[in-house]
Amino acid sequence: MLELAILGFLYAAPLHGYELRKRITALTGHVKPVAESTLYPAIKRLEKAGLLARATQPGSVAAPRHVLTLTEEGRSELRRRLADPVQRDITDENRWFTVLAFLRHLADPPAQAAVLRRRLAFLEEPASFFYEGDRPLRAEELDDPFRQGILTIARATSRAELTWLRGTIDSLEGNVRDASPDRPSSAAGPSTLR
């Protein structure tokens, strides 16, 4: 996720390490703050792999600053990762948001739609945070108001995302379809979280 964010932010423009860290923290920091001890080794790995280059600029007041630029190989690698994200990038919400933040850099609408379809398929599978045997439980089946809250909030979030995914896929594929929030999912019934 961190490497994808580095490549994604550098795709648009060269950045100083400090500015890059601020942008990554703004994207992911509420969930997973980015420490210098994590960021700079990732930058060095990407640099060693030839995916980014570092240039030194004189500092106006302080020490010289390093500007990071994506190489052509780095641009290709970002597009490859966006076109074929690992399954965890599809199923983990925080990693998914990182993919979404940069999916515009994958300029092919059918390829963008294919990535969104993978997320749609994941969300349409019956699921819950709580199960009775193999059966996912609905919020209405729980006595615990806090667990009910988790499922109620997750269901609302999933419905909103499903609506957005369907509408965006239709738009990318040039289709026009009703994307109302009340439209039921073909695979996910009312007993599921999603």
Side-chain angles (χ1 to χ4, degrees), residues 30 33 38 50 60 153 162 171 177 186:
H30 65 286
T38 305
S60 56
I153 293 165
L162 285 165
S171 174
R177 188 174 9 159
S186 59

Side-chain angles (χ1 to χ4, degrees), residues 33-49:
V34 179
E36 286 184 23
S37 62
T38 305
L39 177 63
Y40 291 105
I43 289 171
K44 285 183 182 184
R45 280 193 308 275
L46 293 171
E47 187 177 17
K48 186 175 180 179

Side-chain angles (χ1 to χ4, degrees), residues 108-140:
D108 180 36
Q112 292 170 331
V115 174
L116 297 183
R117 283 198 175 283
R118 287 181 59 196
R119 177 69 175 185
L120 180 66
F122 166 70
L123 290 178
E124 287 181 330
E125 286 294 316
S128 178
F129 295 114
F130 310 107
Y131 288 81
E132 186 175 276
D134 290 339
R135 186 178 67 81
L137 294 175
R138 296 177 302 170
E140 300 78 16

Side-chain angles (χ1 to χ4, degrees), residues 174-186:
N175 301 326
V176 178
R177 188 174 9 159
D178 175 24
S180 68
D182 297 328
R183 184 173 146 221
S185 163
S186 59

Side-chain angles (χ1 to χ4, degrees), residues 78-93:
L78 174 66
R79 289 188 298 265
R80 185 198 65 74
R81 288 183 186 197
L82 291 171
D84 189 24
V86 296
Q87 187 62 15
R88 194 165 145 207
D89 288 347
I90 298 294
T91 59
D92 179 280
E93 185 173 274

